[in-house]
Amino acid sequence: MTSSIDDIEQLISCKNMSPELAVPHVIPIKDVREFMSNSDNYNGDIEDLKDTLEAKTQQCKGVLKLLNEKLHLKLSTLDKVKKDMLTLADDMKKPTASTRFVINHEKIKLNYLDESEPKECELAEALEWINLKMGSLYCEIVGLESDVDYITYLERMSELNMRNVIEFYEGENKVEPDKLTV
C-alpha cells in the first residue's frame, strides 16, 4: 500500500491539486494473502491496517462531498443561464426590442453564482457570452460527473478491500466476528 507522488491520480475537473481534493491511492486487493504477507501493507497489527483502509474511505467521502458541492453550483448556474437566455429571447421578440437594444443600446446584466462580479453588456455581447458560458458549464459538469463516478468507484473499492481483509483475518485467526467490524 505504498504510494508515491507519481501514483496520485488527478481529477479531470480540478487540475490545481488542493489538499481537500487529493485522490487517495486505492488499488483493488486481488490476493489478500499476498497483500497481508507484504510488510509494507501489514505490520502484524490489524487495527493499524483497518485504520489505514478506513482513512482512504473517509478521504474519498470528503472528496466526494466537495465535488458534489461544486457540481451542484455548476448545475444551478447552468439553470440560471438557461433562464436568462429564455428571458432575453422573449425580450427580443417584443415590439420594443429594436428600440431598447439597437437604438438605446440598453445594457443587459448578467450575474452568475460561480462568478464574483456581475457583467453588463450589449445584446450581441450578451448572447455571445451566454453561449460561451453554457458550453463552458456543460464541459465542467461532464468533468465533475466523471470525477464523482471515479471517486465513488475508489470509495467502494476501499470499502471492499477492508471487508476482504477483515474476512481473511477472521478466517486465518478464528476471531469472533463481533470484534472486527467494518
Side-chain angles (χ1 to χ4, degrees):
M1 293 203 11
T2 61
S3 65
S4 69
I5 199 72
D6 297 332
D7 294 333
I8 295 175
E9 299 290 330
Q10 292 229 348
L11 299 173
I12 294 170
S13 61
C14 307
K15 294 299 179 198
N16 297 332
M17 189 59 101
S18 65
E20 306 88 36
L21 292 173
V23 178
H25 183 69
V26 178
I27 55 172
I29 300 173
K30 296 177 182 173
D31 185 347
V32 179
R33 185 176 308 281
E34 181 182 319
F35 175 83
M36 299 282 283
S37 67
N38 184 339
S39 62
D40 290 339
N41 301 328
Y42 179 60
N43 64 4
D45 185 356
I46 191 67
E47 293 302 319
D48 281 349
L49 181 55
K50 279 177 45 183
D51 290 346
T52 301
L53 294 173
E54 178 62 24
K56 289 185 181 200
T57 301
Q58 291 307 316
Q59 188 177 358
C60 287
K61 288 180 182 186
V63 172
L64 271 175
K65 183 178 183 245
L66 291 172
L67 289 174
N68 281 321
E69 288 170 1
K70 284 184 171 199
L71 181 59
H72 180 71
L73 175 67
K74 295 300 179 184
L75 289 170
S76 297
T77 301
L78 181 61
D79 285 343
K80 180 148 179 15
V81 172
K82 286 179 182 179
K83 286 176 187 171
D84 286 355
M85 182 183 67
L86 292 173
T87 301
L88 190 56
D90 288 342
D91 287 350
M92 288 178 6
K93 292 178 187 174
K94 292 179 181 175
T96 60
S98 62
T99 304
R100 283 177 59 199
F101 299 120
V102 178
I103 297 170
N104 296 340
H105 300 285
E106 183 177 314
K107 300 276 185 183
I108 298 163
K109 291 182 184 178
L110 303 171
N111 187 16
Y112 298 109
L113 302 170
D114 64 341
E115 296 178 350
S116 58
E117 294 183 23
K119 181 178 184 81
E120 281 193 18
C121 49
E122 291 189 18
L123 178 65
E125 186 183 351
L127 290 172
E128 182 180 331
W129 190 89
I130 287 172
N131 232 356
L132 292 171
K133 184 69 175 173
M134 284 181 67
S136 170
L137 284 168
Y138 279 123
C139 291
E140 291 176 46
I141 289 168
V142 168
L144 282 164
E145 287 175 339
S146 177
D147 287 344
V148 166
D149 289 346
Y150 177 63
I151 298 298
T152 300
Y153 164 75
L154 291 179
E155 177 189 21
R156 300 296 184 258
M157 188 186 322
S158 181
E159 290 170 347
L160 183 62
N161 284 347
M162 185 180 317
R163 193 170 327 132
N164 288 341
V165 164
I166 289 172
E167 287 174 4
F168 175 81
Y169 184 81
E170 288 172 351
E172 290 292 306
N173 296 303
K174 306 293 185 233
V175 173
E176 294 177 31
D178 309 5
K179 294 184 179 177
L180 287 176
T181 57
V182 177

